[in-house]
Amino acid sequence: MSVQKQSVSFTETAYTFARELVEAGEYPNVSAAVSGELAKAKAERDREQSLLEAELKRRMALPLDQWEPVGKATDVTAGARAHLAAMAQKT
């Protein structure tokens, strides 16, 4: 695995957390703590994505007579339409 050097800034809270992980012996230094915690976060996102995809596949495999109605299509997009309208008014 290659290592990419990058300068980053942290909030006091984030830096304190990273230092606490180092002081607890979970990581040898702040850089390793940041990398390790990012790897954990990525693994969790990947797990959540896999669960979502599996649930969508399960639901898509259901016969049409077992699908639950979700309302009108305009109801599903109402929030997005309101957001876009508010954005358009700001410009």
Side-chain angles (χ1 to χ4, degrees):
M1 173 187 346
S2 68
V3 174
Q4 304 297 317
K5 291 192 175 199
Q6 178 68 46
S7 175
V8 296
S9 299
F10 298 101
T11 63
E12 186 64 34
T13 302
Y15 185 73
T16 298
F17 177 61
R19 290 289 320 150
E20 288 171 353
L21 292 172
V22 172
E23 290 167 6
E26 293 187 46
Y27 297 99
N29 53 50
V30 170
S31 181
V34 171
S35 292
E37 293 302 306
L38 283 172
K40 285 181 183 180
K42 182 180 182 324
E44 178 61 20
R45 282 182 174 225
D46 290 348
R47 186 187 71 76
E48 289 175 1
Q49 182 68 30
S50 293
L51 290 173
L52 175 63
E53 289 173 7
E55 180 61 12
L56 287 172
K57 286 178 183 176
R58 183 191 71 78
R59 291 183 186 196
M60 292 296 293
L62 289 173
L64 288 178
D65 64 341
Q66 292 182 18
W67 284 36
E68 292 288 328
V70 292
K72 297 182 286 185
T74 54
D75 294 341
V76 174
T77 60
R81 290 176 188 278
H83 176 72
L84 291 173
M87 298 276 297
Q89 288 180 351
K90 290 181 181 179
T91 59

